[in-house]
């Protein structure tokens, strides 16, 4: 198994007046065991981040949930991956403010992160990563493609085919830990007020995952 955390996002597009009151949330799940990002839209196999740190902003949200344990993840070598989606939780009306009955989720962007260190060693990649976001909804076939081809090849092919378009400098901050390593690995994130990591380097377009 593994522990995964999506601690925040950077440089999200502002939701605009028509989406006043929008709350940034996040979903994540492992491609081989999560149907949430497919046409079935199953919800029980995805983890959601909804607790916004009060010190953060809509443009640079920070989520307080921290690590989530994901058990029984099959070793797939260099294929498979962790799928992440950032979305707006909408439920605002001009007349009555927040209305739970009108709540809906609108995708902002998505991305994927490789999980294992190599084709032959069954160890999870441990570290803290800044990962770029792609615009819009998660493609319903991305789980299958990740399981067949891996993150780097899948995203590169989708970019070439025009199915994955980077959302400017928008990104998410991700931590991964292999549960086999116990407490020996515990990557940390920068403090909430640290603006040094809010912008990705220009050479990012040539990288799938970058550590800071």
């Amino acid at each position: 198994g593994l522990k995964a955390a999506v601690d925040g996002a950077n440089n999200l597009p502002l939701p605009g007046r028509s989406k006043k009151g929008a709350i940034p949330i996040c979903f994540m799940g492992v491609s081989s065991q999560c149907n949430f990002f497919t046409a079935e839209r199953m919800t029980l196999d995805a983890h959601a981040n909804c607790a916004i740190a009060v010190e953060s902003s809509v443009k640079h949200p920070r989520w307080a949930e921290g690590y989530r344990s994901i058990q029984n993840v099959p070793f797939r070598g260099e294929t498979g991956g962790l799928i992440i989606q950032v979305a707006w939780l909408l439920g605002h009306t001009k007349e009555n403010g927040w209305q739970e009955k009108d709540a809906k989720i609108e995708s902002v962007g998505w991305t994927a992160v490789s999980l294992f260190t190599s084709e032959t060693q069954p160890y999870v990649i441990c570290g803290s990563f800044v990962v770029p976001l792609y615009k819009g909804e998660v493609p319903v076939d991305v789980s299958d493609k990740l399981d067949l081809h891996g993150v780097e090849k899948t995203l590169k092919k989708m970019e070439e085919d025009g199915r994955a378009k980077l959302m400017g400098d928008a990104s998410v901050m991700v931590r991964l830990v292999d549960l086999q390593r116990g407490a020996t690995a515990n990557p940390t994130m920068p403090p909430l007020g640290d603006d040094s990591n809010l912008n990705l380097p220009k050479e990012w377009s040539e990288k799938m995952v970058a550590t800071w």
Side-chain angles (χ1 to χ4, degrees), residues 26-151:
C26 173
F27 301 97
M28 67 174 174
V30 174
S31 59
S32 59
Q33 60 181 209
C34 182
N35 291 325
F36 180 75
F37 303 108
T38 66
E40 288 80 8
R41 298 297 289 181
M42 297 287 289
T43 58
L44 296 179
D45 50 11
H47 295 275
N49 283 6
C50 303
I52 302 295
V54 294
E55 301 91 341
S56 66
S57 65
V58 172
K59 188 176 180 65
H60 308 298
R62 297 294 183 266
W63 293 293
E65 280 84 355
Y67 282 120
R68 303 298 186 85
S69 293
I70 305 176
Q71 303 290 341
N72 303 316
V73 178
F75 173 62
R76 305 188 64 91
E78 295 179 350
T79 64
L82 182 72
I83 303 172
I84 299 164
Q85 180 184 30
V86 177
W88 299 126
L89 176 61
L90 305 171
H92 184 275
T93 61
K94 291 182 179 179
E95 297 80 12
N96 302 311
W98 179 267
Q99 296 293 308
E100 184 176 351
K101 66 181 178 62
D102 298 326
K104 63 178 181 179
I105 294 172
E106 181 179 303
S107 183
V108 178
W110 65 278
T111 192
V113 183
S114 297
L115 290 177
F116 297 105
T117 57
S118 72
E119 189 68 39
T120 58
Q121 298 296 319
Y123 299 109
V124 173
I125 298 171
C126 295
S128 302
F129 309 94
V130 175
V131 190
L133 281 173
Y134 293 94
K135 296 179 181 178
E137 293 278 355
V138 181
V140 295
D141 61 342
V142 74
S143 292
D144 291 338
K145 290 187 179 298
L146 290 175
D147 287 343
L148 286 173
H149 308 296
V151 170

Side-chain angles (χ1 to χ4, degrees), residues 185-204:
N186 187 27
T188 58
M189 299 299 294
L192 288 175
D194 186 359
D195 292 333
S196 63
N197 294 298
L198 294 184
N199 294 291
L200 294 172
K202 293 181 180 180
E203 63 270 25
W204 170 251

